[in-house]
Amino acid sequence: MFTIGDFARYGRVSPRMLRHYDAIGLLHPDRTDPATGYRRYGAAQLARLNRIIALKDLGFTLQQVGAVLDEQVGPEELRGMLRLRRAELAEAVAAASTRLARVEARLRSIESEGRMPADDVVIKTVPAVRVAELTGTAASYQPEDIGPVIGPLYERLFPLLEGAGLRPTGPGIARYEDAPGGGGAITVHAGVTVSTPAGAVGETGVRVVELPPFEAATIVHRGTMDDVLPTAHTLARWLDANGYRSTGYTREVNLECPADRSAWVTELQEPVAKA
């Protein structure tokens, strides 16, 4: 038998917590000395304590924990619940990291206000190009809506092209336009340069399209596209300061796309006209 202090150390909890569990009927000591009130716990009670802590970490209230334990949840079922919670927490951490990256991008954009690099933006005529692309729809032009659409499109595109015997001849090109239904939705085109004639690529859903030439203000962005905001704002400030107006959504040309997304190099091509 263990004293409450020893049992707390083995269970990695505090004696105060054990007293609380005793008071609410969640984990009574194996024995309580009637004269001194000292609590004594058995080693077998560590199993119940482990379940209490695990279920708490799953987000259950102590009242719910008691109800679950009273239903005699088995080890395999409990492991399944813990695996599910682990996946949920990992997803929440990833989502929080993405939000943090967007906040940091906003902060960098704010910090760069007032600075106008003169040699970052180049006006040029972008030549016609032929691309094989898949198309999807995003709820908005916000990064959190674009990312989950364009990523899977590219993941599908390259295996489909390989299966059809088509080889890219140049960089990936992502482009955007307002979706036909309106409401702020965006049609997302995930493409790659090819030399194949325009038209459908079998039954793959891939289409080869000819993109016409256009006048563009271009700027090179280095790093993940989750961090593109400061670069895009630099471009916008340059256009405003130099008498240009945008005539459409920015095209993204993937110049370098290594496995490390922070090492990506992307040219932003903004269609423009003189204001």
Side-chain angles (χ1 to χ4, degrees):
M1 301 294 290
F2 302 108
T3 66
I4 189 171
D6 290 339
F7 189 72
R9 284 196 300 275
Y10 285 121
R12 301 295 194 272
V13 297
S14 68
R16 179 180 178 182
M17 185 179 292
L18 291 175
R19 293 188 188 96
H20 181 59
Y21 291 165
D22 181 18
I24 64 176
L26 199 55
L27 178 61
H28 294 302
D30 202 31
R31 294 182 193 169
T32 301
D33 189 306
T36 64
Y38 289 163
R39 298 169 172 85
R40 299 283 178 172
Y41 294 84
Q45 291 183 283
L46 286 170
R48 184 175 177 90
L49 178 60
N50 284 338
R51 283 162 171 74
I52 291 171
I53 301 303
L55 289 167
K56 273 186 59 185
D57 287 342
L58 280 170
F60 288 94
T61 66
L62 291 179
Q63 183 178 4
Q64 292 169 328
V65 168
V68 170
L69 292 179
D70 289 343
E71 293 177 4
Q72 301 295 314
V73 175
E76 189 57 41
E77 184 179 357
L78 185 57
R79 275 196 293 271
M81 296 168 70
L82 287 171
R83 291 191 191 102
L84 176 62
R85 180 58 175 163
R86 181 177 62 187
E88 291 173 343
L89 289 172
E91 184 177 349
V93 168
S97 297
T98 300
R99 286 196 298 272
L100 179 59
R102 291 200 299 268
V103 169
E104 289 175 343
R106 293 279 179 184
L107 287 173
R108 279 190 290 276
S109 181
I110 291 170
E111 290 164 358
S112 69
E113 289 173 0
R115 295 199 297 269
M116 186 69 65
D119 57 352
D120 281 357
V121 178
V122 175
I123 297 292
K124 66 182 181 182
T125 299
V126 176
V129 64
R130 194 174 296 159
V131 297
E133 60 183 26
L134 287 172
T135 300
T137 302
S140 79
Y141 196 50
Q142 296 182 78
E144 56 266 39
D145 290 328
I146 295 293
V149 175
I150 198 167
L153 287 176
Y154 271 117
E155 289 172 5
R156 289 172 48 213
L157 177 64
F158 291 104
L160 288 172
L161 292 179
E162 184 178 356
L166 299 182
R167 299 182 59 141
T169 58
I173 297 177
R175 60 192 185 93
Y176 310 93
E177 57 189 348
D178 292 327
I186 299 295
T187 298
V188 178
H189 302 274
V192 65
T193 308
V194 294
S195 57
T196 310
V201 179
E203 301 296 324
T204 62
V206 178
R207 290 195 62 84
V208 176
V209 297
E210 185 91 26
L211 302 180
F214 67 100
E215 193 78 2
T218 66
I219 187 171
V220 174
H221 170 70
R222 302 179 187 277
T224 171
M225 291 305 291
D226 293 334
D227 196 22
V228 73
L229 198 63
T231 307
H233 285 186
T234 295
L235 178 57
R237 290 195 295 270
W238 189 95
L239 295 179
D240 186 59
N242 289 273
Y244 285 89
R245 60 179 177 84
S246 173
T247 60
Y249 287 97
T250 303
R251 184 184 294 182
E252 299 160 2
V253 180
N254 311 126
L255 302 179
E256 296 178 24
C257 293
D260 180 4
R261 289 164 55 92
S262 66
W264 282 11
V265 179
T266 306
E267 183 179 68
L268 307 184
Q269 299 177 342
E270 181 98 3
V272 295
K274 268 295 186 177

